[in-house]
Amino acid sequence: MFKHLFKLIWNKKSQNFLLLIEILVSFMVVFLLSSSVVYYMINYQKPMGMDYKPVWMIQYNNELPTKNTDSIVMFYDAVKQHIASFPEVAEVSFSGNNIPFSSSFSSTDISNKGVKYERISNFRVEDDFIKVWSMNLKEGRWFNAGDRIYKDRPIVINESLKKKMFGDAPATGQLISNKEEESKWRVIGVVEDVKDESDFSPVMDGMYLRIDTGTFKWLSTITLKVNSNADAAFESRLSKYLSNTFKNSSIEIAHLEDMRKEKNRSKAMPVVIFMIVAGFLIINVALGIFGVLWYNINKRKSEIGLRRAIGATGNTVSIQLVSESLLLATLSLILGVFFAVQFPLLHVFDMPSNVYFIAIGIAIIFIYLLVFICSLYPGKQAAGIHPAIALHEE
């Protein structure tokens, strides 16, 4: 039967070529769209690694009249203590600008036993940072006041970087260095991975460094964990205090929940646009497949009538036409899968290999369903052709 179907397809190769191309393009579009959706869903299902909902962010312009380090540290200690005195505030911490869901990014390159690791997210934090974000320690400890005096500067890394650098071995006590191997850091702890970009973004390899006295000169971000009774009235009082404290400085207070939603929208928007475009394309392809099959039936009335005259049933004719369509889809899918498997081999878009293979499976199932549905009605119409009428018309 398949040999006969191949002959029929080959005899009409000029008519089927366009249909093959349409199915191939549809497969690639569905494959690319599925890759993005599957990648986002896998990332979405991973834990956040923190509690961002009660966290607020304060940003200010760092323009203090003094350059004396001790005076700057005393000033910020006083600011922190005053903010912590509000009954609505549970925890307060200064940090670098690249907090979760912000538009700021800071990275560095590090080295471990001669192996280089590039673009590691670099976070500058205080001792209370872990309390503000309710982060989970997986190994070792967090920073404390005793880390002000050190031989090798203490550092905390996340689970992803730990697995990449040390595998299943303990990371606590290990020494790492910067890319030039001029500075040494000693790992004192490992924290759970934090999704700091968006719900749909992958976890970045990260490292946390403790803020020292010299860092306060360029800091401009405060994060605070608020209680459930923090409302607009408290935000107004907080803004008024900060405006009076940081003279001639623009104060911005943002809620991390709102920042997260904005990040998720910006991350999902390209995929939504791609889905709309792909939807229109697939609808056009479906109409094209339906039209081609309808045209082929009208052109093959004599063939169908002859088959019916020599004893073929309507169901047999219908199955033949549907089988031809599915065989055409298979030929296109073979070529499409060949192109699709190049994506994990060449590390296109830098996604995990399993994402591409899941997307290939989804795209194959979708194309078969699309072709099957589009060929059902033309196949039914072909089954209803009366042999005497078809032969009489010829």
Side-chain angles (χ1 to χ4, degrees), residues 316-329:
T316 303
V317 173
S318 179
I319 291 172
Q320 176 192 333
L321 291 175
V322 173
S323 299
E324 284 184 31
S325 302
L326 294 177
L327 185 57
L328 276 171

Side-chain angles (χ1 to χ4, degrees), residues 96-302:
N97 293 337
N98 58 328
I99 64 170
F101 312 132
S102 68
S103 300
S104 180
F105 179 77
S106 176
S107 67
T108 187
D109 299 336
I110 61 176
S111 173
N112 178 45
K113 298 179 180 179
V115 180
K116 309 294 184 181
Y117 301 88
E118 298 181 343
R119 291 184 61 79
I120 307 300
S121 297
N122 181 9
F123 301 94
R124 301 283 179 158
V125 298
E126 267 196 317
D127 298 348
D128 295 328
F129 186 85
I130 191 172
K131 298 177 183 178
V132 171
W133 296 94
S134 302
M135 298 166 63
N136 302 313
L137 268 174
K138 293 297 183 179
E139 181 184 327
R141 64 175 179 85
W142 189 254
F143 303 108
N144 57 43
D147 293 323
R148 294 176 181 175
I149 303 174
Y150 50 80
K151 178 182 177 181
D152 299 307
R153 188 172 184 182
I155 186 176
V156 176
I157 60 177
N158 66 0
E159 284 185 290
S160 295
L161 183 58
K162 182 257 182 184
K163 291 177 181 178
K164 187 174 292 186
M165 298 182 73
F166 308 110
D168 295 328
T172 306
Q174 298 284 349
L175 282 175
I176 60 178
S177 61
N178 60 2
K179 189 175 182 180
E180 294 77 18
E181 299 188 357
E182 297 172 349
S183 302
K184 295 288 185 180
W185 302 305
R186 185 175 297 276
V187 179
I188 63 170
V190 179
V191 294
E192 184 180 355
D193 289 336
V194 171
K195 292 197 295 186
D196 58 335
E197 287 293 322
S198 71
D199 289 357
F200 309 113
S201 301
V203 174
M204 303 289 291
D205 298 331
M207 53 185 282
Y208 300 83
L209 291 171
R210 188 176 187 272
I211 292 174
D212 55 26
T213 55
T215 311
F216 281 99
K217 294 180 179 180
W218 52 265
L219 287 182
S220 60
T221 301
I222 305 172
T223 56
L224 56 150
K225 182 177 183 180
V226 299
N227 299 321
S228 57
N229 58 345
D231 53 12
F234 161 67
E235 186 172 345
S236 177
R237 296 199 313 271
L238 178 62
S239 178
K240 183 177 180 180
Y241 162 73
L242 293 170
S243 298
N244 293 331
T245 303
F246 295 94
K247 302 295 185 180
N248 302 320
S249 176
S250 59
I251 304 298
E252 178 186 354
I253 301 177
H255 300 188
L256 266 293
E257 175 66 19
D258 297 333
M259 294 172 61
R260 167 186 162 271
K261 291 178 181 178
E262 182 61 32
K263 275 287 187 178
N264 286 344
R265 279 195 293 266
S266 62
K267 192 71 177 179
M269 188 57 65
V271 176
V272 173
I273 295 174
F274 188 20
M275 290 178 67
I276 295 173
V277 175
F280 280 112
L281 177 62
I282 291 170
I283 290 173
N284 288 330
V285 170
L287 292 175
I289 295 173
F290 185 85
V292 169
L293 294 176
W294 185 274
Y295 175 77
N296 286 342
I297 289 173
N298 291 328
K299 295 288 290 184
R300 296 169 62 182
K301 276 189 175 181
S302 59

